[in-house]
Every structure is written in C-alpha cells, then in structure tokens.
Amino acid sequence: PDNLRELARKLGIHIGTAVDVTALAEEDDYRRVLNREFTHITAENAMKWESVEPERGVYNWEGADAVVENARRNHQRVRGHTLVWHNQLPAWLTQGVESGEIDAAELRAILRDHIKKEVGRYRGKIRAWDVANEVIDDDGNMRQSIWLTHLGPGYIADAFRWARQADPHAKLYLNDYNLEWDTDKIDAYLNLVKQLQAQRVPLDGMGFQGHLGIQYDYPGDFPNVMRKFTDLGLEVAITEADARMVLPVTPEKLARQAEFFRDMLKTCAANRRCTEFTVWGFTDRHSWVPEWFEGEGAATPMDENLAPKPAYTAMLGVRRF
Ligand code: G3I
C-alpha cells in the first residue's frame, strides 16, 4: 500500500488520527495529508466539555462541526472524544460544584443534558464515542472526580444509557491509558466491564489509548491484554497511539519508535475485534507531548514537515496475520 488509507482497506480496520482543529482550518498541507492518509478522525480537544460549553448553556460547536464536516467530505468515520471525564471540564461546572451551588441532583441533570445535547447533535455521524474516559486509577481504584464524589460509581452506567438513548447508531466505549500491560488497572477494568454487562448497560467497546515512551520497555503482553476484553464480547480500538522519545532525535531512536508503532498496529490487525487504530496526532508539528513531557517529543509517525518517519514506513509493512 502507498499510504495508510490503502493499508486500512487492506487490513480491514480504520486507521485514524486525532485532529487539531486550528491546523485543520489554517494549514493546507496538514489538511491535505490528513485526508489522503486517514479513514477515521478524532477531535483532539474540540468535542471536550470545556470546548463545547465554555459558559453554562452557551455552546460552541464550531471545532466539532468542522471535524464532522471534514469527515463527511472525505469519507472518514468519527470517534467522539469524550463525554464524561475528570479533565478539561468548563470552569462554571467545576466551580459550581466546589462552591456547593450545584448539588448532586443538579449535577446529574447537567451530565444527562450534556450527553443528550452533544450526542444528539451528531446522531448518526459518530462511529464510536469515548463515553467515559480514564475512570480508573493506575492502582485499580475508581478515579476520584466530581462525578464519583457526588454521583457515586453509578454515573458510568448512567452515561452509557443516556448516550445510547441519544444515538443508537454509535458504538459506546470506555477509554483509558496504561492498559497495554497486565496490571491491577486491567483487572479493575475487567471487573467494571463485567458489572456493566451484568446490569445490561449498553457498553460496546474498550479503547486502549496507547501512549508509549521508547525509553521504556515495549508492552509485550498487549495482545493478551486486548484479548481479555474481546473474550468478553467487546470490540476494541487503539485510540491515541504515540511513542515519545527523550530528545534529541537519533536514527536509533527513530528505528525503535518504528518498532513500537509497527507492533501496536500489528496487535490491532491480528485481533478480529479490533476495529480502529488511531494515532494521537500524525505529525510532530502538532503533538501534545512536548508541552507535557519536558525534554521529550517526536512522538508521531511524521515529522514537522509532514515527511514520513521510519514509524510510518514500518506501519505500511504490517499484514493482517
Ligand atoms: O486552546 C487554548 C489556548 O487558547 C490557550 O491560549 C492555551 C494556553 O492555556 O491553552 C489552549 O488549550 C490547550 C489545549 O490542549 C489546546 O492546545 C490546553 O491548555 C491544554 O490543556 C490542552 O491539552 C490537551 C490535553 O489532553 C489536556 O488534558 C492536549 O492538547 C490533548 O492532546 C490531550 O489529550 C488527552 C486525551 O484527551 C485523553 N487521553 C490523554 C491525552 C493526552 O493527555
């Protein structure tokens, strides 16, 4: 295959990327490569609560609409990211809860209205929603958040039920990071999935974010971990793949990064229930890593000039089995 869109067709999976909506609007080369290479796109920030409802009852759908419209015009599917999360919540919500102005009953109504509003707006246009993002800690406990504190753990089942009611077409996912190793976090998620299934909650899939660093070991038991979830009947996706490195970039680090991307894509391609492999940004020109990891970067398959790196070429070489 000459590009990732042809590879996706060959492998029978979606290959996607997170989209920076400012770059989408302002950079012709970014938009051209995005639409040549990818059959699936995720708004990196534009569908998050702080973006779509910055003031209570005041909505800003511009970025989210741009992603959905780009997908329509370029025969791409869309992952909705994300409905209930502890992070990037609008200040009016977090401050309203902290001040006691918003009590538990009103908070539950606010969450229900947010989900129905956002999922309803894109009804029929989203292949999969990250309904609940990062709800379990690395040590396997439910993550502390205003949702858990004020609504109890039932907020997760509620969110899935409200999302299903608002769009019966969308696959509904849990999504988290550090799920590529067999840890307490995996066991906690397997228990949560079984609980939700026992309650007949409309849960369709598990998203493995796949944020790796090449200075660490590659998670070799990723295929087995993924199978623990598909054995429960879920579909799965790798939703935010990147492989950062301690700068400066060297040929050896690029070669190791290529193996990381190749092996993650192979893990998805080799599991029949893995539907999507999405990178968290396709170019080092727009990657979250440098702002968040001091001295690290170069985490994506293309460089700042959109030239393919060894990771890109290694992915083109992946076969289904
Ligand atoms: O757009 C504003 C800009 O107007 C303002 O001047 C600037 C300075 O404050 O902030 C800009 O917003 C930033 C936004 O990225 C867009 O660049 C936010 O501060 C910053 O917090 C935000 O970071 C995002 C991060 O999530 C926040 O948690 C990253 O872009 C995004 O890649 C990252 O993505 C998350 C996934 O959603 C969930 N999984 C982990 C992943 C990495 O953290």
Side-chain angles (χ1 to χ4, degrees), residues 44-45 48 81 85 87-88 133-134 209 211 240 280 288 292:
E44 183 175 7
N45 289 292
K48 293 170 178 174
H81 178 79
W85 190 24
N87 208 349
Q88 290 184 270
N133 192 43
E134 302 172 10
Q209 291 182 10
H211 291 296
E240 307 183 13
W280 203 243
W288 67 293
W292 293 82

Side-chain angles (χ1 to χ4, degrees), residues 18 20 22 43-45 48 50-51 81-82 85-88 130 133-134 175-177 209 211 239-240 242 280 287-289 291-293:
D20 175 318
T22 304
E44 183 175 7
N45 289 292
K48 293 170 178 174
E50 72 174 0
S51 301
H81 178 79
T82 179
W85 190 24
H86 64 282
N87 208 349
Q88 290 184 270
D130 292 333
N133 192 43
E134 302 172 10
N175 187 53
D176 211 328
Y177 60 85
Q209 291 182 10
H211 291 296
T239 55
E240 307 183 13
D242 50 24
W280 203 243
S287 166
W288 67 293
V289 166
E291 285 172 55
W292 293 82
F293 295 93

